[in-house]
């Protein structure tokens, strides 16, 4: 069952981090088309406002929120702004992510992991924690973590999968950590649903647009988790179905 409310008292609200381009922008576009109220979070104010204006020009109800997931002050201020517009947040999409330097394990030093973990791991924890009160004010709050098949131990050890052919200590490790974090959230906060969406190999800036899927295909699992209500928690899937851990 999907939520597609469009009346003022029942409009579904969503905050999307990293919403100015790629998967975040397409998620905002698709949910906006359903009549949702979209809070488009982006670190870069100019790009974020431009993205929100484009979506707004198409008829979507979109509010830009400046949000740097690596900053406590930024996330706290973002929550204050969202609270000015709504008394609840139905859905949080933790989408912001980076790959890190494209170097092999032998060349990787501890400092290479720090910026990736700041965004991909600590970012979702920071944002989720600050927005938890607004989420709990909703009747069926849900958090969608944007993960990757590269975070699956089963997939990355399967020689038939593309994810097994790119040894990298930053991005896959960060997504494996995010997977475990999400499972622990689901167990520890049962009144909020937490799920993991794998976009698949999608053409975005993250992979220099080498992906074989469109951004619409890449957001299928994200949108499914966001719109399904009621639904399950602690699920890990892509657009085709459940993924192995």
């Amino acid at each position: 069952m999907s939520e597609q409310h469009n009346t003022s008292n029942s409009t579904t609200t969503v905050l999307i981090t990293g919403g100015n381009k790629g998967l975040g922008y397409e998620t905002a576009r698709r949910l906006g088309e359903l009549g949702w109220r979209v809070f488009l979070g982006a670190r870069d104010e100019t790009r974020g406002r431009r993205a929100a204006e484009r979506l707004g020009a198409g008829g979507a109800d979109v509010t830009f929120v400046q949000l740097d997931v690596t900053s406590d002050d930024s996330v706290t201020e973002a929550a204050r702004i969202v609270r000015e517009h709504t008394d609840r947040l139905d859905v949080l999409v933790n989408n912001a992510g980076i790959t890190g330097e494209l170097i092999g394990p032998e060349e990787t030093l501890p400092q290479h992991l720090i910026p990736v973990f700041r965004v991909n791991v600590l970012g979702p924890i920071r944002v989720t924690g600050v927005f938890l009160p607004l989420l709990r004010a909703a009747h069926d709050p849900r958090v969608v973590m944007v993960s990757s098949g590269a975070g699956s131990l089963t997939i990355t050890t399967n020689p038939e999968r593309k994810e097994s052919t790119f040894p990298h200590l930053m991005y896959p490790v960060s997504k494996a950590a995010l997977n475990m974090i999400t499972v622990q959230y689901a167990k520890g906060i049962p009144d909020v649903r937490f799920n993991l969406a794998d976009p698949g190999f999608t053409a975005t800036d993250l992979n220099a647009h080498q992906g074989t899927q469109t951004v619409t295909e890449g957001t299928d699992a994200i949108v499914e988790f966001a719109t399904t209500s009621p639904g399950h928690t602690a699920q890990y899937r892509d657009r085709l179905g459940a993924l192995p851990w």
Side-chain angles (χ1 to χ4, degrees):
M1 177 181 178
S2 297
E3 292 189 344
Q4 300 184 16
H5 304 148
N6 54 24
T7 62
S8 59
N9 292 330
S10 62
T11 301
T12 306
T13 56
V14 59
L15 169 69
I16 304 166
T17 68
N20 63 290
K21 63 179 181 177
L23 295 168
Y25 181 85
E26 179 65 4
T27 300
R29 185 192 68 79
R30 293 180 67 177
L31 296 179
E33 283 188 347
L34 297 180
W36 286 30
R37 183 165 207 178
V38 177
F39 294 97
L40 188 151
R43 179 176 57 84
D44 186 290
E45 182 175 2
T46 300
R47 294 175 182 174
R49 289 193 183 280
R50 190 178 299 136
E53 288 169 2
R54 284 199 304 270
L55 292 171
D61 182 0
V62 180
T63 300
F64 166 68
V65 179
Q66 188 166 19
L67 199 165
D68 178 353
V69 302
T70 69
S71 165
D72 289 336
D73 290 343
S74 176
V75 176
T76 299
E77 176 63 11
R80 186 192 66 77
I81 292 170
V82 171
R83 198 174 287 110
E84 288 181 348
H85 293 273
T86 181
D87 60 356
R88 73 182 191 281
L89 186 65
D90 296 287
V91 181
L92 168 62
V93 179
N94 280 310
N95 165 74
I98 61 174
T99 58
E101 293 186 45
L102 299 180
I103 57 177
E106 186 174 351
E107 294 78 36
T108 302
L109 301 173
Q111 56 262 37
H112 291 122
L113 277 74
I114 292 171
V116 180
F117 269 62
R118 278 179 179 157
V119 176
N120 297 3
V121 178
L122 303 183
I125 293 174
R126 177 175 290 107
V127 175
T128 299
V130 171
F131 280 89
L132 195 56
L134 276 169
L135 285 163
R136 281 183 158 144
H139 80 279
D140 180 26
R142 49 237 188 240
V143 177
V144 183
M145 303 287 201
V146 179
S147 184
S148 168
S152 163
L153 296 178
T154 302
I155 289 174
T156 54
T157 55
N158 179 352
E160 296 181 359
R161 291 290 301 247
K162 181 183 291 290
E163 293 90 340
S164 72
T165 64
F166 300 105
H168 193 233
L169 289 189
M170 289 168 258
Y171 185 76
V173 174
S174 73
K175 293 302 184 180
L178 181 63
N179 288 0
M180 178 59 77
I181 286 165
T182 305
V183 169
Q184 299 306 318
Y185 268 137
K187 292 196 297 183
I189 309 177
D191 54 322
V192 179
R193 292 195 285 112
F194 291 85
N195 290 296
L196 290 148
D198 168 25
F201 193 39
T202 303
T204 66
D205 286 353
L206 203 69
N207 54 43
H209 293 270
Q210 297 178 35
T212 55
Q213 291 186 154
T214 66
V215 286
T216 301
E217 291 172 325
T219 54
D220 280 350
I222 301 171
V223 170
E224 180 176 346
F225 276 136
T227 59
T228 301
S229 178
H232 298 290
T233 192
Q235 305 293 299
Y236 179 31
R237 63 167 293 137
D238 62 12
R239 66 190 299 263
L240 300 178
L243 294 179
W245 297 97

